[in-house]
Amino acid sequence: MFSTHLPSISWNKIQENITQISTQDVQAILSRSDNDSNNTLQDFLCLISPVAAAYLDEMAQLSQSLTQSRFGKNIQLYAPMYLSNECQNICTYCGFSYTNKIPRKTLTDKEILQEFDVIKSYGFESILLVTGEHDKLVGIDYLLNAVALAKQHFSQVSIEVQPLEQHEYAQLKEAGVFAVLVYQETYHKETYKNYHPKGKKSNFNYRLETPDRIGNAGMYKIGIGVLLGLEDWRVDSYFNAMHLDYLQRTFWQTKYSVSFPRIRPHEGKFIANTHLTEKELLQLICAYRICFPDVELSLSSRERAGFRDIIFPLGITSMSAGSKTEPGGYSKSEALKQFEVNDERSAQEVANIIRAKQYEAVWKDWDAILV
Ligand code: SF4
């Protein structure tokens, strides 16, 4: 379990190590000829350091070339679909938090199918089903039913829901789920409880061990990430990279993706603790690509359109498009959003931009028949 590794690594020590990186350290990594296989976690630390920011152009060029050689000029498009905004947790940064007085909604079968019709009409074949975390209202039976409905319409079904038990992940895999996304939010154990004071999510270790349970269940793909803006993004990202490295070694047959959610405005008063600039986000994406050449890197519509258009060719492999962040949002909704999207263009508009840059907008790249 990754939770047994974590206590041996000091947050403060990593923070200190980042300040000691020199320009020579960064130059040595970028001048290697075999930069597609031999990079280490220490290299990742160097590349996310403040010193490496001066080498962003070189990092972006290397990241772009590694991405094209591994993935071609392809961007996979997916649609997140919120099934429910019910949640038993208090997360201080989230619009769905238990104590927020918002209209709550869990989609019925009929409403789910209405959403599918609209999403499908845009051309999507890959869907990400999202819920808040509620044991009873969106428990395993609800999820299995939603997945069964989704499988009739989409070739690739992924989920981002409450952490579950291993046997439940096995059931979801059997039902046709391709990938499970679960974000640790922050690896800073001491402050984690401040952001998650109530509910099952306040159990740091249970969440941390979730990718192990997903891997043990044999899921095809696991997505991880941190919520950028809670704690020092460099240290949190280093821990996330360590987690990824551990998972790749432990569950070597599984595919992985990393996402980069930055805190966005929402219902409530949360102010980000730290701010990650767009340049720093690009630096982070390039560092992942250079050190983890085979990992899928995903950029959501939380980011503004102009920024997404510039950086997707520099390391990204999948993007959401035309996203709605409320249950029923594609067909109709009066419920509240989890967060504001920044890129409000339609899926077709995003696909057109991708093609204009001589990239392929990929609506479908996987089918159960291929397994
Ligand atoms: S982040 Fe997730 S668990 Fe936390 S309040 Fe929002 S929906 Fe619930």
Side-chain angles (χ1 to χ4, degrees):
M1 289 265 187
F2 185 65
S3 56
T4 59
H5 294 250
L6 201 63
S8 61
I9 321 286
S10 156
W11 180 281
N12 292 341
K13 184 71 184 151
I14 298 298
Q15 207 161 31
E16 189 189 324
N17 288 351
I18 292 172
T19 65
Q20 291 168 357
I21 303 299
S22 68
T23 54
Q24 289 83 353
D25 294 329
V26 179
Q27 284 168 348
I29 298 166
L30 296 177
S31 61
R32 266 186 222 141
S33 57
D34 57 346
N35 233 324
D36 62 346
S37 57
N38 287 330
N39 291 319
T40 64
L41 286 170
Q42 178 61 26
D43 295 338
F44 183 83
L45 194 78
C46 291
L47 293 177
I48 60 171
S49 70
V51 167
Y55 296 86
L56 188 54
D57 285 349
E58 284 157 84
M59 286 177 64
Q61 277 174 30
L62 180 54
S63 174
Q64 182 173 36
S65 117
L66 287 169
T67 308
Q68 286 185 10
S69 68
R70 299 295 171 121
F71 296 91
K73 294 178 80 174
N74 297 304
I75 298 290
Q76 190 183 2
L77 293 173
Y78 70 93
M81 179 183 140
Y82 282 70
L83 295 167
S84 172
N85 63 1
E86 294 280 358
C87 193
Q88 294 167 313
N89 293 318
I90 295 180
C91 299
T92 55
Y93 48 80
C94 178
F96 293 174
S97 191
Y98 177 70
T99 45
N100 283 353
K101 302 285 178 241
I102 59 167
R104 300 285 174 174
K105 174 74 189 163
T106 300
L107 299 185
T108 63
D109 283 8
K110 188 176 169 203
E111 290 165 330
I112 291 173
L113 293 171
Q114 282 170 349
E115 290 284 274
F116 288 167
D117 280 347
V118 178
I119 293 170
K120 191 85 184 173
S121 73
Y122 297 148
F124 286 106
E125 278 293 333
S126 176
I127 193 167
L128 173 67
L129 302 177
V130 186
T131 67
E133 301 192 7
H134 196 295
D135 276 348
K136 297 190 176 57
L137 295 174
V138 287
I140 185 67
D141 292 339
Y142 180 88
L143 296 173
L144 286 169
N145 178 59
V147 168
L149 293 174
K151 284 302 294 176
Q152 294 168 24
H153 294 79
F154 299 94
S155 60
Q156 190 174 110
V157 179
S158 304
I159 58 168
E160 184 182 336
V161 303
Q162 62 186 304
L164 299 164
E165 294 297 317
Q166 183 180 320
H167 72 271
E168 293 171 321
Y169 287 125
Q171 284 177 276
L172 286 162
K173 184 195 168 195
E174 187 63 31
V177 169
F178 176 74
V180 181
L181 279 54
V182 62
Y183 305 139
Q184 184 59 28
E185 319 294 16
T186 177
Y187 289 83
H188 195 290
K189 192 168 184 178
E190 288 70 34
T191 55
Y192 178 91
K193 187 85 181 176
N194 300 340
Y195 301 115
H196 311 98
K198 188 166 182 296
K200 206 168 169 184
K201 193 167 177 177
S202 62
N203 186 334
F204 179 87
N205 273 358
Y206 186 74
R207 194 166 190 90
L208 190 66
E209 291 164 0
T210 304
D212 281 281
R213 297 195 297 279
I214 302 169
N216 279 322
M219 193 60 69
Y220 300 107
K221 187 164 92 178
I222 301 173
I224 63 171
V226 292
L227 184 55
L228 299 162
L230 291 185
E231 291 297 327
D232 183 331
W233 67 266
R234 291 187 172 87
V235 186
D236 247 339
S237 298
Y238 177 78
F239 276 92
N240 193 69
M242 269 180 53
H243 200 167
L244 177 60
D245 181 61
Y246 158 84
L247 290 168
Q248 284 184 323
R249 290 170 195 277
T250 310
F251 306 105
W252 53 271
Q253 289 169 310
T254 305
K255 290 174 74 175
Y256 295 93
S257 69
V258 175
S259 302
F260 305 92
R262 288 200 298 171
I263 289 177
R264 299 281 309 134
H266 69 87
E267 177 75 0
K269 299 268 186 295
F270 186 79
I271 304 212
N273 196 13
T274 63
H275 181 62
L276 176 75
T277 65
E278 288 182 346
K279 262 188 157 180
E280 288 169 335
L281 178 53
L282 175 57
Q283 183 185 349
L284 180 60
I285 289 166
C286 295
Y288 269 106
R289 173 58 63 227
I290 293 167
C291 296
F292 297 93
D294 296 323
V295 163
E296 294 183 16
L297 301 180
S298 182
L299 194 65
S300 78
S301 43
R302 283 174 182 251
E303 300 301 333
R304 68 182 175 89
F307 179 58
R308 295 216 305 166
D309 293 350
I310 291 168
I311 70 162
F312 81 75
L314 304 178
I316 294 301
T317 54
S318 80
M319 299 206 301
S320 55
S323 304
K324 305 292 180 197
T325 64
E326 67 270 41
Y330 291 94
S331 40
K332 59 179 183 324
S333 173
E334 290 168 7
L336 209 74
K337 300 170 182 172
Q338 190 187 30
F339 58 85
E340 298 289 337
V341 298
N342 220 334
D343 183 349
E344 293 184 332
R345 293 172 300 181
S346 69
Q348 282 305 331
E349 286 175 298
V350 174
N352 288 342
I353 291 286
I354 292 170
R355 287 187 209 106
K357 291 188 178 247
Q358 275 78 54
Y359 272 69
E360 185 75 26
V362 180
W363 302 93
K364 176 179 181 178
D365 78 341
W366 188 87
D367 197 287
I369 204 165
L370 301 174
V371 179

